[in-house]
Amino acid sequence: MSKSENKVAGYAIIGFGNIGKALARAFARKGIEVSVATTREPESFASDAAAIGPGIIPTTLAEAVRADVIFLAVRFESHPDVAKALPTWQGKTIVDVTNAYGVSPEKLGGQPSAKVVEQAFTGGKLVKGFNHLGAAILDQDPAVHGGRRVVFVASDDDGAAAEIGALAEKLGFSPIKLGGLSEGGLLVQACGNSWGQLIFKDLVKFD
Ligand SMILES: NC(=O)c1ccc[n+]([C@@H]2O[C@H](COP(=O)([O-])OP(=O)(O)OC[C@H]3O[C@@H](n4cnc5c(N)ncnc54)[C@H](OP(=O)(O)O)[C@@H]3O)[C@@H](O)[C@H]2O)c1
């Protein structure tokens, strides 16, 4: 029996690219187990997972979504494929780490990208967070210069925001709650060719 068949962690990261690996390293740093899944068979990235730490469990998407808290670390365009993995996400907390940079506001129906993701994950509690740090920064120990690196957390569900805030603290970050997805959450969401104001202070726009 492979490691992926006999273990399911309470936490999962879907996507094991730049951001998925950086998040996995944060879990490994604190000795907290987490499942990781991609589009591929777990054997194909098992050595990368093992290199990060023994608590990083390579698994399939179907197994990973059995976790209670699921980090979505795929490209924004891939979120509907991940959402198909379960008929309902009731009882699950999804942490949306995606940046819908370059996706037109029309394509999002004028909504914040996290609202679009929330609707795809029917019944789930959506928390937008951990997305404002570049992968190379997120990858590092958040204890820096005598302080702790900040992560922003926004949700329409106060309980879920508190849950992910507490997890962020366990991972060594300093969480800042921004309120709901359509208000504070917009500060950390890319919109079309603009970044949220808390991603880049001066709301940089690329044409
Ligand atoms: N890179 C950054 O600095 C940064 C910073 C903040 C936020 N973000 C956001 O974080 C997300 C991930 O970025 P990244 O740079 O880590 O991307 P990436 O390196 O391209 O990794 C994407 C990962 O998602 C997996 N994936 C795609 N579709 C999937 C599906 N249907 N089921 C399961 N796994 C799937 C891919 O699997 P395979 O390996 O099998 O292809 C890959 O492991 C994006 O939304 C990005 O905007 C990125």
Side-chain angles (χ1 to χ4, degrees):
M1 190 181 275
S2 78
K3 196 178 178 186
S4 65
E5 283 170 306
N6 55 22
K7 257 185 161 179
V8 177
Y11 302 111
I13 302 166
I14 312 302
F16 197 46
N18 301 305
I19 284 292
K21 284 179 182 155
L23 286 168
R25 231 178 291 282
F27 278 85
R29 218 176 272 121
K30 297 295 179 187
I32 305 171
E33 284 194 341
V34 64
S35 296
V36 292
T38 70
T39 62
R40 292 167 287 130
E41 286 305 312
E43 289 70 23
S44 70
F45 53 94
S47 61
D48 284 351
I52 294 176
I56 310 304
I57 305 163
T59 188
T60 59
L61 179 61
E63 276 192 89
V65 296
R66 290 168 58 197
D68 300 321
V69 174
I70 295 156
F71 284 76
L72 192 60
V74 302
R75 294 190 179 278
F76 174 80
E77 293 79 358
S78 302
H79 81 266
D81 293 333
V82 178
K84 283 183 204 142
L86 284 178
T88 171
W89 293 80
Q90 200 143 17
K92 310 274 184 193
T93 303
I94 295 112
V95 186
D96 175 15
V97 193
T98 69
N99 280 324
Y101 182 74
V103 180
S104 72
E106 293 74 39
K107 210 164 179 185
L108 301 175
Q111 301 183 91
S113 64
K115 279 291 216 188
V116 174
V117 174
E118 183 179 51
Q119 284 151 20
F121 287 78
T122 319
K125 293 171 275 179
L126 201 288
V127 178
K128 182 85 194 169
F130 290 78
N131 63 303
H132 85 290
L133 296 172
I137 300 287
L138 188 64
D139 200 50
Q140 296 166 17
D141 190 331
V144 280
H145 307 304
R148 287 181 297 152
R149 223 178 263 292
V150 158
V151 289
F152 298 107
V153 175
S155 180
D156 292 341
D157 185 308
D158 290 344
E163 177 188 27
I164 300 308
L167 174 60
E169 283 196 12
K170 260 170 89 175
L171 295 175
F173 293 90
S174 184
I176 295 187
K177 293 196 192 122
L178 294 179
L181 297 177
S182 301
E183 300 91 36
L186 268 183
L187 293 169
V188 287
Q189 295 182 46
C191 180
N193 290 336
S194 301
W195 294 100
Q197 292 177 60
L198 293 179
I199 299 182
F200 285 130
K201 187 168 70 63
D202 297 319
L203 194 62
V204 179
K205 187 173 182 339
F206 300 97
D207 291 315

